[in-house]
Amino acid sequence: MNPSDQKILVKRYIDAYNQFDLEGMAAGLHQDIAFENVTGETVTAQAKGLAQFESLAKHGKTRFSQRQQTPTHRQHNHDLLAVGIDYRGVLAIDLPNGM
């Protein structure tokens, strides 16, 4: 996939994420998606395959009343794409870690 197409897919995903549109988030993803959320050096969430990703996305949707992702950088290596994200959110629930 060329960089222009990648940019479009990432934009569509992020727009859908910011609007809590789970179908839109999953629309451009491959069945064998490998998803990791990394904070610092810690993997805080992961999913392998579209079904696990959709389950994770449904769960995450309930935790926030507002959320905003902004891409900071993209790195493409063969068939892998990594995207750095600046994230801001407002929690809708109290989390077990005290947040």
Side-chain angles (χ1 to χ4, degrees):
M1 176 178 297
N2 71 51
S4 179
D5 289 341
Q6 288 177 349
K7 188 174 182 178
I8 290 168
L9 280 177
V10 169
K11 182 177 179 350
R12 285 183 185 160
Y13 173 85
I14 290 174
D15 288 347
Y17 179 92
N18 291 341
Q19 297 171 25
F20 293 90
D21 175 6
L22 299 181
E23 288 182 22
M25 289 170 58
L29 301 179
H30 191 277
Q31 281 294 120
D32 296 328
I33 183 175
F35 172 85
E36 289 186 340
N37 186 77
V38 180
T39 302
E41 294 183 16
T42 304
V43 175
T44 57
Q46 61 184 11
K48 294 187 191 257
L50 191 55
Q52 279 188 7
F53 176 84
E54 289 173 332
S55 178
L56 184 66
K58 285 178 189 174
H59 181 69
K61 181 178 179 178
T62 65
R63 294 182 171 227
F64 295 92
S65 61
Q66 298 174 22
R67 60 188 188 184
Q68 180 72 35
Q69 287 187 352
T70 305
T72 59
H73 65 277
R74 292 172 187 82
Q75 181 179 352
H76 184 259
N77 186 6
H78 301 287
D79 61 346
L80 299 176
L81 174 64
V83 180
I85 299 287
D86 180 37
Y87 183 83
R88 298 190 190 283
V90 176
L91 290 170
I93 61 171
D94 293 331
L95 298 178
N97 67 359
M99 293 179 76

